[in-house]
Amino acid sequence: MTPIEYIDQLQQALAAVPSPSGGPVVPDPGSGVAPPEVADKVLTILQWIAYLATAACVGGLLYTAAKMALAHRRGDDTNVSQLGWVFAACLLIGSASAIVSALI
């Protein structure tokens, strides 16, 4: 038996089990649907957050670049790892919706 077949059988067995209280089984809402009066407001908030996060990435890159320029002038190169963290943050912010879509 393959793992996929085992998982399918397990799902079918769990679906057949009644709830412990004997009442109806809790329905699976899937990904859900936002109420119409709330959906636009939540989307606006998410757009603001994405805008501010992008601005923070640009600010972080500028700040790190300035620190690297000053450190290079002094003969130091300790800020390279900070640049990597800023790039990682930019990558996560830019791909946040794709990551969430893949997980849901």
Side-chain angles (χ1 to χ4, degrees):
M1 177 181 298
T2 66
I4 301 287
E5 292 171 345
Y6 178 74
I7 291 172
D8 287 340
Q9 285 184 354
L10 183 62
Q11 286 177 340
Q12 290 172 1
L14 288 175
V17 174
S19 68
S21 64
V25 178
V26 178
D28 181 16
S31 61
V33 176
E37 61 274 357
V38 176
D40 291 336
K41 294 175 183 174
V42 170
L43 184 59
T44 301
I45 291 170
L46 289 175
Q47 288 171 340
W48 273 94
I49 291 170
Y51 174 78
L52 292 173
T54 303
C57 284
V58 172
L61 283 174
L62 291 173
Y63 175 73
T64 303
K67 279 182 64 174
M68 288 176 73
L70 291 173
H72 178 68
R73 185 177 176 107
R74 287 185 240 133
D76 190 17
D77 62 351
T78 59
N79 295 316
V80 176
S81 66
Q82 183 179 0
L83 184 64
W85 284 110
V86 173
F87 283 156
C90 292
L91 182 73
L92 279 174
I93 288 170
S95 61
S97 64
I99 292 171
V100 171
S101 295
L103 294 176
I104 292 181

